[in-house]
């Protein structure tokens, strides 16, 4: 058989198969339409039947409200609703017009008849109320028989919906099966048509098409497996094959771009997850040291190409001090003045590098200024810190996505740092005396309990010193309260310095102080008390050009467990202090032994 004949037969078969496939697709589309119509009809029937149930519920509620309250407005509302619903025949006609079958309507009619019976009972109850017979009205509208009839209406309407759903499901299933069969036939015809078409091409245009098609086929298969590293063939011919090769190249470029966007999206989600976890960890920080460690760990993960340092404002020195750093940034971590940073001056992110000319910050090394970015940490309008970042790739600052992440990170860190500083300030106000800076009586109970537990565990003594400034009231009256405050601060500083290495000093109240010395026996306690008296006596206090004269203190010593039980330790030391004052002040008295120790200054004098 000639090739031309084979070609003609192939073309004829191709045309027939194409027409048959198109007709099959039309049938499949018609089956889809039937399926959609069945779904739409079922939804409409469900809506109509639910409206019937809602109407009956509304009538029942209005009739019961009329029976309970006797308010004529409920009767008016009931009559208006009843008039709007219409008779049973009207409802059946509405469903029938939308395609309900006779057997389904017969099932629904029974439910609507029972609903009409309920309406008769509702009217009877309303009439009884109007006649003043509340008992009869309540018995009708709230009686067991009424509830059974109401349930029967719901059951019959539900059965009607069930019948409609079964019919609709069958119709949908049949339409779906028909559509699937027709689509399968259509796809088979299309496949056969494609085979015949390729057969014709193989005989007619073998040399011009076969070789480039094979090459393109291999490329397309690899692209289908998302292997975008494959290089499509460079075909110079200007025809359909050349257009196909160009389309393959565009498809490959789009695939490469899509992969890049997917990688960026995945990286974006990863960074967002890191930011969320960082925020959670920052919220759980108990100290600023914890916060610095969290920033040091998470910042390199959020912005891998950025090295950096975190600075906080030292309010005492009015300098920005380095608190944490990561990925070894260039330059020194020395403190600098806030005015040396343009980000702190302007209160916003500052990048001196890039196409736009800008002023570099003084604290950034000149060789890295173009790759630096400064981000102020603010909270409630107050600057509390600074992020100084450096692009390790040498580029002019981070990209746009990284800038967004950095700003989010700076806001989170700034808020967390502000919260920690606020909490520390409140904690300090709660536990430390504002005048002296010593711990106050609020912290004494916890510290004493821990110290006693440690003493019991280690079988070592715990010494308590009660210290009182002698003749403080006379000094306060003579020189004024400012001079008294100066004296209290000076004595507190001497006491704190005397026990800072191995004890804790508290302001007990007024001019009284309490010292706890763990592991200190009686001899060392007396020696420490004499040292305290020497330091305080040796102070020279001058207020407004007037010398306040020498200041002396009386000290009472009690040692646990030597001088009594734990709960009486402070009381025992206080009793020893009272004795020291009674015996002339400027003395050291040890509890229990009642042994008096003369001041070191007196002993020398």
């Amino acid at each position: 058989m000639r090739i031309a004949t084979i070609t003609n037969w192939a073309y004829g078969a191709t045309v027939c198969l194409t027409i048959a496939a198109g007709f099959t697709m039309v049938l499949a589309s018609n089956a889809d339409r039937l399926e959609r119509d069945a779904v739409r009809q079922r939804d409409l029937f469900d809506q109509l039947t639910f409206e019937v149930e809602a109407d009956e519920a509304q009538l029942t509620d209005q009739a019961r409200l009329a029976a309970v309250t006797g308010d004529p407005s409920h009767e008016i509302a009931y009559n208006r609703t009843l008039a709007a619903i219409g008779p049973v025949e009207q409802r059946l006609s509405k469903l029938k017009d939308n395609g309900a079958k006779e057997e389904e309507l017969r099932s629904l009619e029974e439910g609507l008849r029972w609903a009409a019976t309920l309406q008769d009972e509702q009217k009877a109850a309303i009439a009884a109320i109007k006649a003043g017979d509340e008992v009869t009205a309540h018995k009708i509208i709230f009686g067991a028989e009424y509830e059974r009839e109401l349930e029967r209406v719901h059951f019959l309407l539900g059965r009607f919906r069930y019948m409609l759903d079964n019919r609709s499901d069958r119709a949908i299933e049949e339409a779906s099966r028909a559509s699937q069969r027709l689509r399968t036939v259509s796809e088979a015809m299309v496949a056969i048509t494609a085979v015949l078409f390729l057969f014709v091409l193989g005989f007619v245009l073998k040399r011009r098409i076969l070789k480039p098609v094979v090459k393109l086929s291999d490329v397309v298969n690899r692209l289908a497996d998302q292997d975008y590293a494959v290089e499509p063939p460079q075909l110079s011919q200007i025809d359909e094959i050349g257009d196909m090769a160009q389309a393959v190249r565009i498809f490959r470029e789009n695939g490469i771009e899509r992969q890049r966007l997917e990688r960026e999206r995945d990286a974006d989600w990863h960074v967002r997850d890191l930011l969320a976890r960082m925020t959670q960890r920052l919220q759980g920080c108990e100290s600023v040291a914890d916060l610095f460690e969290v920033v040091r760990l998470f910042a390199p993960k959020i912005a891998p190409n950025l090295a950096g340092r975190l600075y906080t404002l030292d309010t005492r020195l009015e300098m920005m001090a380095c608190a944490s750093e990561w990925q070894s940034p260039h330059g020194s971590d020395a403190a600098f003045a806030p005015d040396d940073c343009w980000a702190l001056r302007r209160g916003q992110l500052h990048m001196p590098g890039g196409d736009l000319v800008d002023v570099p910050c003084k604290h950034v090394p000149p060789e890295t200024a173009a790759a630096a970015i400064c981000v102020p940490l603010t909270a409630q309008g107050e600057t509390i810190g600074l992020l100084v970042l450096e692009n390790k790739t040498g580029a002019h600052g981070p990209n746009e996505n990284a800038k967004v992440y950095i700003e989010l990170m700076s806001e989170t860190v700034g808020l967390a740092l502000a919260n920690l500083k606020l909490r520390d300030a409140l904690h300090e106000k709660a536990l430390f005396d504002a005048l002296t800076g010593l711990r106050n009586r609020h912290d004494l109970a916890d510290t004493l309990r821990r110290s006693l537990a440690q003493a019991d565990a280690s079988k070592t003594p715990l010494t308590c010193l009660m210290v009182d400034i002698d003749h403080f009231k006379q000094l306060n009256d003579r020189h004024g309260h400012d001079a008294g405050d100066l004296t209290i601060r000076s004595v507190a500083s001497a006491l704190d310095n005397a026990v800072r290495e191995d004890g804790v000093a508290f302001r007990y109240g007024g001019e009284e102080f309490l010292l706890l010395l763990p592991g200190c026996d009686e001899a060392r306690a007396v020696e420490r008390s004499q040292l305290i008296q020497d330091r305080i006596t040796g102070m020279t206090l001058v207020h407004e050009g007037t010398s306040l004269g020498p200041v002396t203190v009386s000290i009472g010593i009690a040692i646990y467990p030597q001088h009594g039980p734990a709960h009486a330790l402070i009381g025992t030391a206080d009793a020893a202090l009272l004795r020291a004052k009674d015996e002339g002040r400027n003395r050291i008295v040890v509890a229990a032994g009642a042994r008096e120790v003369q001041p070191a200054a007196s002993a020398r004098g």
Side-chain angles (χ1 to χ4, degrees), residues 456-518:
D456 288 336
S458 59
K459 306 298 183 183
T460 56
L462 174 63
T463 295
C464 176
L465 304 183
M466 291 291 292
V467 181
D468 184 81
I469 302 176
D470 295 331
H471 306 293
F472 178 77
K473 186 176 184 306
Q474 297 177 9
L475 183 148
N476 206 41
D477 293 341
R478 184 181 308 116
H479 298 284
H481 293 290
D482 290 342
D485 290 345
L486 173 63
T487 303
I488 290 176
R489 285 196 300 270
S490 301
V491 171
S493 177
L495 295 175
D496 188 37
N497 291 331
V499 300
R500 181 173 297 173
E501 297 296 330
D502 54 359
V504 186
F506 300 85
R507 185 182 182 188
Y508 196 68
E511 68 272 19
E512 285 190 330
F513 303 88
L514 185 148
L515 310 179
L516 291 179
L517 298 171

Side-chain angles (χ1 to χ4, degrees), residues 463-468 470 512-514 522 525-526 529 533 553-559 563 568-597:
T463 295
C464 176
L465 304 183
M466 291 291 292
V467 181
D468 184 81
D470 295 331
E512 285 190 330
F513 303 88
L514 185 148
E522 182 176 331
V526 171
S529 300
Q533 284 191 328
V553 294
S554 299
I555 303 175
I557 303 175
I559 304 173
H563 296 140
L569 178 63
I570 295 179
T572 304
D574 193 44
L577 173 62
L578 290 176
R579 180 168 180 180
K581 294 168 67 175
D582 290 342
E583 294 181 359
R585 292 184 172 83
N586 195 19
R587 297 176 181 275
I588 301 170
V589 172
V590 180
R595 182 168 63 85
E596 178 181 337
V597 180

Side-chain angles (χ1 to χ4, degrees), residues 233-511:
Q234 298 292 332
L235 302 177
S236 59
Q237 58 197 71
I238 303 175
D239 55 10
E240 291 79 5
I241 300 300
D243 294 342
M244 187 184 300
Q246 178 65 19
V248 169
R249 283 193 294 271
I250 294 174
F251 180 80
R252 173 178 174 270
E253 292 172 359
N254 291 340
I256 293 174
E257 180 65 16
R258 185 171 63 252
Q259 281 189 337
R260 185 186 67 81
L261 293 176
E262 288 176 352
R263 287 194 298 268
E264 289 184 358
R265 181 198 62 192
D266 294 340
D268 181 69
W269 281 110
H270 175 66
V271 173
R272 288 180 183 273
D273 178 66
L274 285 173
L275 283 169
R277 286 196 285 133
M278 178 182 180
T279 301
Q280 293 174 352
R281 302 306 181 270
L282 289 174
Q283 291 173 350
C285 289
E286 292 293 333
S287 64
V288 291
D290 291 344
L291 182 143
F292 298 150
E293 181 64 16
V294 169
V295 174
R296 187 185 68 80
L297 291 175
F298 277 88
K301 305 297 182 183
I302 295 172
N305 294 329
L306 298 179
R309 292 188 178 96
L310 169 62
Y311 291 85
T312 58
L313 178 62
D314 188 336
T315 55
R316 296 174 301 173
L317 303 176
E318 286 298 321
M319 299 284 284
M320 302 303 297
C322 181
S324 179
E325 71 173 49
W326 53 94
Q327 302 199 109
S328 304
H330 291 86
S332 171
D333 62 352
F336 59 88
D339 286 344
D340 290 344
C341 180
W342 283 94
L344 295 178
R345 289 189 188 184
R346 299 163 58 225
Q348 56 183 323
L349 182 145
H350 182 70
M351 289 191 304
D355 298 332
L356 299 177
V357 178
D358 209 336
V359 182
C361 298
K362 294 181 181 179
H363 63 90
V364 178
E367 63 272 14
T368 61
I373 174 172
C374 297
V375 188
L377 304 180
T378 59
Q380 298 179 350
E382 179 183 0
T383 300
I384 58 175
L386 177 70
L387 284 176
V388 180
L389 306 172
E390 174 191 331
N391 196 328
K392 297 191 298 181
T393 63
H396 298 311
N399 57 34
E400 291 300 321
N401 287 341
K403 284 176 61 178
V404 173
Y405 302 145
I406 290 169
E407 290 175 353
L408 289 174
M409 182 173 67
S410 66
E411 291 176 4
T412 304
V413 174
L415 182 59
L417 184 60
N419 290 338
L420 284 173
K421 288 192 173 184
L422 177 60
R423 187 179 66 180
D424 290 344
L426 295 176
H427 183 266
E428 183 174 352
K429 288 182 179 180
L431 300 182
F432 291 85
D433 178 62
L435 178 63
T436 64
L438 299 181
R439 298 174 182 269
N440 57 27
R441 293 183 67 169
H442 294 291
D443 191 43
L444 174 60
D446 290 338
T447 305
L448 180 60
R449 183 176 63 253
R450 291 194 299 268
S451 299
L452 289 170
Q454 183 179 2
D456 288 336
S458 59
K459 306 298 183 183
T460 56
L462 174 63
T463 295
C464 176
L465 304 183
M466 291 291 292
V467 181
D468 184 81
I469 302 176
D470 295 331
H471 306 293
F472 178 77
K473 186 176 184 306
Q474 297 177 9
L475 183 148
N476 206 41
D477 293 341
R478 184 181 308 116
H479 298 284
H481 293 290
D482 290 342
D485 290 345
L486 173 63
T487 303
I488 290 176
R489 285 196 300 270
S490 301
V491 171
S493 177
L495 295 175
D496 188 37
N497 291 331
V499 300
R500 181 173 297 173
E501 297 296 330
D502 54 359
V504 186
F506 300 85
R507 185 182 182 188
Y508 196 68
E511 68 272 19

Side-chain angles (χ1 to χ4, degrees), residues 510-577:
E511 68 272 19
E512 285 190 330
F513 303 88
L514 185 148
L515 310 179
L516 291 179
L517 298 171
C520 182
D521 57 18
E522 182 176 331
R524 290 173 58 196
V526 171
E527 180 182 353
R528 185 67 60 87
S529 300
Q530 290 174 341
L531 175 64
I532 289 172
Q533 284 191 328
D534 286 347
R535 289 184 177 180
I536 294 175
T537 304
M539 292 189 308
T540 301
L541 301 182
V542 177
H543 177 66
E544 295 182 352
T546 302
S547 175
L548 302 183
V551 177
T552 62
V553 294
S554 299
I555 303 175
I557 303 175
I559 304 173
Y560 171 81
Q562 178 179 342
H563 296 140
H567 68 272
L569 178 63
I570 295 179
T572 304
D574 193 44
L577 173 62

